Amino acid sequence: MDYNRVYYTDAKIVPEKDETHVLKLSKTKYRFKQVNRKEWEIMSTAAVLDYVSSKGFNEITFIKKNGDLKPYVKNGEGLYVFMSIADGEKLKLRNENNGLRLTELLARFHNAAEGFIQPPGIKIQVDWGKRMERYRMFTSRLEKYINYIENKEVLNEFEEYTLQYTETLIKRARAGMKILKSLSYLRSLESSMKRKEICINNISSNTAIINEDGVVISKIFEIGYNMAEEDIAALIKKLIIVTGDPGVFDRVMGKYCGIRELGEDSESIIKALVSYPSDSIKVILKYYNQTKDMTEGDSAYNLLMLEKLKKYIGKELLTDVLGG
């Protein structure tokens, strides 16, 4: 592909080790790279990026359009985008200070992205209510698993271990679902839909880059409609696990609400999302889904799942901010 001809006839493009290409225009460097995304995903992401830029929010990776005003170029079966590069290091969520920096950026992004209306012919990822439905299914399946091991005569090592925690897990799952199925949650969901909130939907140590100029959001392709409470809850849960301090909840909420107002039911919804032991339950359900195809001799698989479960339970025992 002639990258120069596609974008800028006078651009100097330098190959990098990862076989992407880097180009510097003015003070901004761009990377031309293949992305494993569908056309509609690139189009919707680019539309949101244009929208937040029009609202004055520029601390995010951007996609430059080509001469046909498309945010991608097709080359055979591959799709390529021209993305801005933020020099610096990943904002790793290993301490509260980095978490609070990302909190501030999230609040500002949520403010700028709110009200986005997808342009004609462009669809956008919609995640409103999906997590609640997923957790409802998790809770129902966990109840079936508990009934299964309670009625089983001989338990293997994995099942013996889960028996120690089933009461804690189901109690927390039901407490979370009590909030996530409530009228207050439905009101908040409806409010989010009316305001057309947009979320990053991918909160991790790969979400942002930090440098001497500040923090820049670098994960962009999961952006879509969702409740802001989900981004906040994902961040708080990770910070509690890393710091071992549930008090992080109040400090993140304070930082966020100092920039962007939340609804009257937002705190309880965020607590429900943080407290729901989803990772532990997912491991149990993955094991449970395989039991019909397994024999008692599948000890290697049982031990692998046991190690995963121990890791997640060890973390999620810290994240019960609902209490009770």
Side-chain angles (χ1 to χ4, degrees), residues 53 65 118 143 145 147 179 188 219 230 278-279 294:
S53 178
K65 293 182 175 64
Q118 55 191 9
E143 289 170 341
Y145 172 78
N147 183 65
I179 293 172
S188 296
K219 294 293 277 188
E230 293 208 15
S278 56
D279 291 330
M294 292 170 55

Side-chain angles (χ1 to χ4, degrees), residues 138-177:
F138 282 179
T139 305
S140 175
R141 293 286 292 165
L142 179 62
E143 289 170 341
K144 292 179 180 179
Y145 172 78
I146 293 171
N147 183 65
Y148 163 74
I149 60 172
E150 287 180 345
N151 287 282
K152 189 177 179 184
E153 292 184 3
V154 180
L155 303 180
N156 61 37
E157 193 172 356
F158 180 90
E159 294 161 349
E160 287 280 5
Y161 183 80
T162 57
L163 196 58
Q164 303 174 54
Y165 294 100
T166 51
E167 183 177 350
T168 298
L169 293 176
I170 196 62
K171 181 180 179 181
R172 284 176 56 177
R174 287 170 176 166
M177 287 311 303

Side-chain angles (χ1 to χ4, degrees), residues 42-270:
I42 301 173
M43 294 286 287
S44 66
T45 298
V48 174
L49 298 178
D50 287 345
Y51 180 77
V52 297
S53 178
S54 73
K55 302 286 284 293
F57 184 87
N58 295 300
E59 293 91 341
I60 192 166
T61 296
F62 280 95
I63 299 174
K64 184 172 286 295
K65 293 182 175 64
N66 62 22
D68 296 325
L69 299 181
K70 287 186 176 181
Y72 63 87
V73 173
K74 294 187 72 172
N75 183 27
E77 296 298 317
L79 295 177
Y80 294 78
V81 296
F82 207 41
M83 300 173 64
S84 63
I85 303 171
D87 288 326
E89 300 179 350
K90 293 178 181 179
L91 183 70
K92 296 182 178 179
L93 300 179
R94 292 179 177 172
N95 57 66
E96 182 176 329
N97 183 59
N98 281 358
L100 292 176
R101 296 196 72 167
L102 185 54
T103 300
E104 180 179 351
L105 190 65
L106 270 183
R108 294 179 53 244
F109 171 80
H110 289 161
N111 267 337
E114 183 177 317
F116 170 78
I117 299 175
Q118 55 191 9
I122 296 178
K123 67 175 181 176
I124 185 171
Q125 179 175 315
V126 179
D127 289 321
W128 281 309
K130 288 184 179 180
R131 189 175 301 274
M132 182 272 288
E133 284 299 319
R134 188 158 60 249
Y135 286 1
R136 182 190 61 77
M137 182 271 291
F138 282 179
T139 305
S140 175
R141 293 286 292 165
L142 179 62
E143 289 170 341
K144 292 179 180 179
Y145 172 78
I146 293 171
N147 183 65
Y148 163 74
I149 60 172
E150 287 180 345
N151 287 282
K152 189 177 179 184
E153 292 184 3
V154 180
L155 303 180
N156 61 37
E157 193 172 356
F158 180 90
E159 294 161 349
E160 287 280 5
Y161 183 80
T162 57
L163 196 58
Q164 303 174 54
Y165 294 100
T166 51
E167 183 177 350
T168 298
L169 293 176
I170 196 62
K171 181 180 179 181
R172 284 176 56 177
R174 287 170 176 166
M177 287 311 303
K178 184 176 180 180
I179 293 172
L180 298 179
K181 292 193 299 183
S182 67
L183 288 176
S184 62
Y185 172 81
L186 294 176
R187 285 196 301 267
S188 296
L189 179 61
E190 182 180 10
S191 176
S192 176
M193 295 172 74
K194 286 182 177 178
R195 296 199 307 274
K196 294 181 172 56
E197 289 184 330
I198 294 285
C199 284
I200 298 294
N201 294 317
N202 190 332
I203 305 300
S204 71
S205 291
N206 295 315
T207 299
I209 299 293
I210 185 170
N211 56 36
E212 59 184 13
D213 296 322
V215 183
V216 177
I217 295 171
S218 55
K219 294 293 277 188
I220 58 174
F221 286 111
E222 282 76 27
I223 286 175
Y225 287 127
N226 204 355
M227 298 175 72
E229 287 85 351
E230 293 208 15
D231 272 354
I232 301 166
L235 175 56
I236 290 175
K237 185 170 184 176
K238 289 182 183 298
L239 290 178
I240 291 176
I241 289 172
V242 167
T243 64
D245 181 9
V248 165
F249 182 94
D250 291 330
R251 295 188 287 277
V252 169
M253 291 293 289
K255 171 68 77 172
Y256 187 95
C257 292
I259 301 168
R260 184 174 188 266
E261 185 178 356
L262 288 171
E264 61 179 337
D265 298 310
S266 293
E267 181 171 331
S268 64
I269 292 169
I270 293 170

